[in-house]
């Protein structure tokens, strides 16, 4: 049974959503405010989030961006505004799909199923093996990275970037791809990646001119090289 977190401040709509989702066999939890939703997602991650954009405490788009900062959970946005600009904003901020209010229970169920299918099973997303590359050992669950046994002190983004490159070792990955997958904000400047990359190089004790692990492939992207 997939678990859905419904984020909706209107008690009538919330009640209707609980009823529809329960009838379709989902486990349902609710939050009526943005901060409450973020807390729920951190403490007990659902399989999917249905997010109303008009919340009393935070702008819905900000909530969406904040969710993306902490989680890859699929988010289906319910919006009252059916205009192009709004929808582009939503998708760019990390929504997996959207529905324009009012929508039917059937549509909600179909969209949830599509989003869940694309995301894959939750336990698959959670199962992140320890990655060994050369002298590097990266444990995504414990969020630790060691170089020749010595633990590296990395910021959250540095860790995410290193873990991502290690999981894709020996493949050139474009900065755009990295921004989409690690930052989940593909429209950010390429420089964002470079800033974190140079910090990582410093912590790994290497230089761009003489890299051991982190190679820049000019005009294409970045590659974490596993063998010397
Ligand atoms: Ca609302």
């Amino acid at each position: 049974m997939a678990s859905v977190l419904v984020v909706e401040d209107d008690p009538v709509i919330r009640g209707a959503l609980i009823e529809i989702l329960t009838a379709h066999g989902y486990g349902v939890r609710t939050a009526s405010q943005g901060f409450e939703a973020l807390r729920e997602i951190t403490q007990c991650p659902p399989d999917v989030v249905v997010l109303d954009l008009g919340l009393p405490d935070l702008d819905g788009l900000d909530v969406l961006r904040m969710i993306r900062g902490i989680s890859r959970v699929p988010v289906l946005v319910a919006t009252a505004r059916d205009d192009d600009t709004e929808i582009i904003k939503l998708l760019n901020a990390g929504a997996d799909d959207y529905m324009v209010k009012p929508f039917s229970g059937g549509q909600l169920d179909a969209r949830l199923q599509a989003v869940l299918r694309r995301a894959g099973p939750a336990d698959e997303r959670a199962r992140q093996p320890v990655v060994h590359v050369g002298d590097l050992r990266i444990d995504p669950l414990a969020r630790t990275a060691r170089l020749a046994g010595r633990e590296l002190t990395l910021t959250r983004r540095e860790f995410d970037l290193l873990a991502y490159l290690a999981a894709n070792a020996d493949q050139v990955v474009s900065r755009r791809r990295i921004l989409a997958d690690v930052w989940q904000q593909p429209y950010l400047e390429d420089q964002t990646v470079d800033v974190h990359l140079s910090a990582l190089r410093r912590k790994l004790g290497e230089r761009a001119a003489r890299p051991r692990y982190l190679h820049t492939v000019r005009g294409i992207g970045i590659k974490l090289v596993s063998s010397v």
Side-chain angles (χ1 to χ4, degrees):
M1 180 171 66
S3 61
V4 186
L5 175 66
V6 171
V7 189
E8 169 64 69
D9 60 313
D10 183 321
V12 176
I13 300 178
R14 201 166 59 230
L17 288 175
I18 293 172
E19 203 168 303
I20 291 166
L21 290 168
T22 311
H24 279 90
Y26 295 93
V28 187
R29 285 183 293 134
T30 60
S32 54
Q33 304 211 359
F35 281 121
E36 190 188 347
L38 291 163
R39 201 168 51 237
E40 281 286 322
I41 290 166
T42 319
Q43 289 174 357
C44 184
D47 293 321
V48 61
V49 176
V50 175
L51 175 67
D52 168 41
L53 273 198
L55 294 171
D57 61 335
L58 288 170
D59 177 70
L61 267 180
D62 288 337
V63 177
L64 187 55
R65 292 195 188 97
M66 285 188 241
I67 291 175
R68 278 294 159 258
I70 56 169
S71 169
R72 285 171 184 263
V73 65
V75 178
L76 176 56
V77 170
T79 173
R81 287 171 51 196
D82 184 16
D83 70 83
D84 218 39
T85 325
E86 172 83 2
I87 285 158
I88 290 169
K89 263 198 240 164
L90 285 178
L91 295 171
N92 279 339
D96 292 89
D97 198 0
Y98 68 92
M99 285 174 305
V100 179
K101 289 180 176 178
F103 47 81
S104 66
Q107 185 188 157
L108 173 62
D109 179 42
R111 288 197 186 269
L112 281 177
Q113 287 198 39
V115 161
L116 285 166
R117 216 165 32 236
R118 286 200 296 273
D123 57 347
E124 201 170 286
R125 266 173 284 142
R127 198 169 54 231
Q128 297 173 302
V130 174
V131 180
H132 294 268
V133 181
D135 285 338
L136 273 171
R137 183 184 184 282
I138 297 154
D139 184 339
L141 278 183
R143 295 191 65 84
T144 54
R146 290 173 184 279
L147 178 63
R150 179 178 58 89
E151 185 159 348
L152 301 169
T153 307
L154 304 177
T155 65
R156 186 167 68 82
R157 285 294 190 209
E158 288 163 8
F159 179 86
D160 289 343
L161 177 59
L162 182 64
Y164 179 79
L165 291 171
N168 293 284
D170 299 317
Q171 299 172 43
V172 185
V173 198
S174 71
R175 289 174 177 78
R176 195 63 33 202
R177 185 79 255 153
I178 293 172
L179 288 169
D181 288 348
V182 178
W183 271 259
Q184 289 169 351
Q185 298 180 61
Y187 48 79
L188 289 179
E189 296 282 336
D190 286 0
Q191 268 183 336
T192 307
V193 175
D194 291 326
V195 168
H196 288 80
L197 189 67
S198 62
L200 262 183
R201 281 198 174 111
R202 209 166 46 240
K203 292 179 180 180
L204 292 173
E206 60 181 58
R207 288 181 294 127
R210 290 191 58 129
R212 158 67 182 90
Y213 290 103
L214 300 172
H215 294 247
T216 301
V217 181
R218 195 180 290 274
I220 305 179
I222 294 147
K223 174 164 72 170
L224 191 148
V225 173
S226 63
S227 54
V228 182

